[in-house]
Amino acid sequence: MEFHKLYTDGRRSTRAFTGRTLCNETIHTLLQAATRAPNACNFQSWHFYVLDQKNIAKLVPDVYRGEWVLKAGAAFVVCTEDGILAERFGERGKMFAIQDTAAAMTMLLLSAANIGWSGCWLGAFDPDACRKLLSIPEGREPVAIAVIGEAQTLPPMRERKPLAEVCTIMGDFDAPGNAAEATGPFTLRSGNYSGALFQDLNLSEAQFEDISLADGKFNNINMSGALFTDINLSDASYAGVYMAGVKFGAKDAESTCVEMNKGQFTQVDFTEAVLKNCSLCGVKLENCDLTGMTIDGVPADEYFK
């Protein structure tokens, strides 16, 4: 799965599983991903306990109260081993070890989603009961559990707070690339540029592919003939943008190539633009000239009758 789709639509916290179990190869894949996580000084201050369904059953109710975990295919209990870090960095080293395990759990859950499994991060469990059940020795501290399985039903993606509410950006950052000095059409592929500002640029014939531009701002831009493929443009705003002949296309006919939900368009020219397999939920059209516009082959003036 392409990475931006993995975190925008792939991984989600799932609490309803079919009971299907994981094979050894899948367990190995997930552990490999977890142990490739960034960690302090490469001390890899973690240890994983992998539980099959028989041992998952032993978690309920003393370690964890939720019976829904009983249908998970496997559970991963991650523990810190902070001895070396604590010796080197004192109390802060213990925090580093917790950070290491958090990174490992994130990698594990993303890896599971990438290969078609679902999972959930458990933090509200009894660590003492867990230590006793798994005979965890001194020097290891259980800090989190990930349950992985085949989703019975996928829950909807949950909204995140706007970047402006949770981020403080210090300094000035231009839009990625330097279109003014480019020798050919501006190209931007595979990345997350949420909240990026594009202003006073000539992006004619530009190509945007497999990226997130959610919350992006496009002001006074020439984007005529631009090509967008597999793009997230949710909550983006456009003011004074020339988009004549712009094309929105998908890699395959089944996918939604462009997310433009809640987009805001002010003085934007879409003459001869082509939108195919796009999501336009929440988009509002006011005082717009729709001459020649067709929707699924039907002229707009007839479509909206």
Side-chain angles (χ1 to χ4, degrees):
M1 186 182 295
E2 295 165 344
F3 186 68
H4 89 275
K5 290 184 179 179
L6 184 61
Y7 68 80
T8 58
D9 188 51
R11 190 216 64 80
R12 58 194 77 182
S13 295
T14 302
R15 296 176 177 83
F17 299 109
T18 64
R20 178 185 171 195
T21 60
L22 280 65
C23 67
N24 285 332
E25 183 179 357
T26 300
I27 297 293
H28 183 78
T29 296
L30 300 184
L31 289 172
Q32 285 278 25
T35 57
R36 293 305 304 176
N39 60 95
C41 303
N42 199 33
F43 286 158
Q44 302 168 61
S45 55
W46 47 49
H47 190 91
F48 299 87
Y49 292 83
V50 185
L51 282 58
D52 64 8
Q53 287 185 325
K54 289 182 180 179
N55 284 289
I56 290 174
K58 298 176 183 178
L59 295 176
V60 182
D62 294 337
V63 177
Y64 183 76
R65 295 181 181 179
E67 293 187 0
W68 60 270
V69 301
L70 298 176
K71 287 194 174 182
F76 297 77
V77 180
V78 61
C79 302
T80 58
E81 285 193 343
D82 59 19
I84 299 178
L85 285 171
E87 181 179 341
R88 182 166 179 176
F89 299 104
E91 286 297 316
R92 194 163 182 80
K94 296 181 179 181
M95 181 189 69
F96 290 165
I98 293 174
Q99 293 173 346
D100 292 350
T101 56
M105 290 289 278
T106 300
M107 291 284 282
L108 189 150
L109 288 166
L110 286 173
S111 179
N114 184 57
I115 58 177
W117 294 87
S118 296
C120 191
W121 183 314
L122 307 182
F125 67 95
D126 188 327
D128 293 329
C130 185
R131 176 186 297 281
K132 181 178 179 181
L133 174 66
L134 303 182
S135 300
I136 298 174
E138 292 295 325
R140 292 178 188 167
E141 184 66 31
V143 294
I145 301 174
V147 289
I148 305 295
E150 180 182 56
Q152 191 174 69
T153 55
L154 279 176
M157 294 297 292
R158 302 180 69 178
E159 293 292 329
R160 290 297 191 257
K161 295 179 180 179
L163 292 180
E165 188 175 331
V166 299
C167 300
T168 300
I169 299 176
M170 304 177 70
D172 296 321
F173 299 92
D174 294 328
N178 189 337
E181 298 178 1
T183 57
F186 177 78
T187 301
L188 190 62
R189 291 189 176 94
S190 301
N192 179 15
Y193 301 99
S194 298
L197 170 64
F198 295 81
Q199 184 165 318
D200 301 321
L201 295 172
N202 178 15
L203 298 180
S204 176
E205 307 296 330
Q207 297 182 27
F208 298 86
E209 180 179 347
D210 188 24
I211 58 175
S212 174
L213 292 168
D215 292 315
K217 292 178 174 59
F218 299 82
N219 300 327
N220 192 26
I221 306 291
N222 175 14
M223 302 184 74
S224 59
L227 173 64
F228 291 83
T229 304
D230 299 323
I231 306 296
N232 179 5
L233 287 165
S234 299
D235 296 300
S237 63
Y238 311 79
V241 180
Y242 183 56
M243 302 185 77
V246 68
K247 294 181 176 63
F248 296 92
K251 291 180 179 178
D252 59 78
E254 300 300 323
S255 64
T256 298
C257 70
V258 181
E259 296 283 351
M260 301 177 73
N261 300 335
K262 300 181 182 178
Q264 298 180 26
F265 303 87
T266 304
Q267 295 181 335
V268 177
D269 186 339
F270 271 114
T271 304
E272 302 297 330
V274 178
L275 286 77
K276 184 177 181 181
N277 298 329
C278 298
S279 174
L280 298 168
C281 298
V283 173
K284 296 180 180 179
L285 303 177
E286 297 180 3
N287 301 321
C288 296
D289 182 0
L290 304 181
T291 302
M293 178 179 177
T294 64
I295 302 173
D296 292 333
V298 180
D301 55 352
E302 295 182 17
Y303 192 92
F304 292 117
K305 283 183 179 179

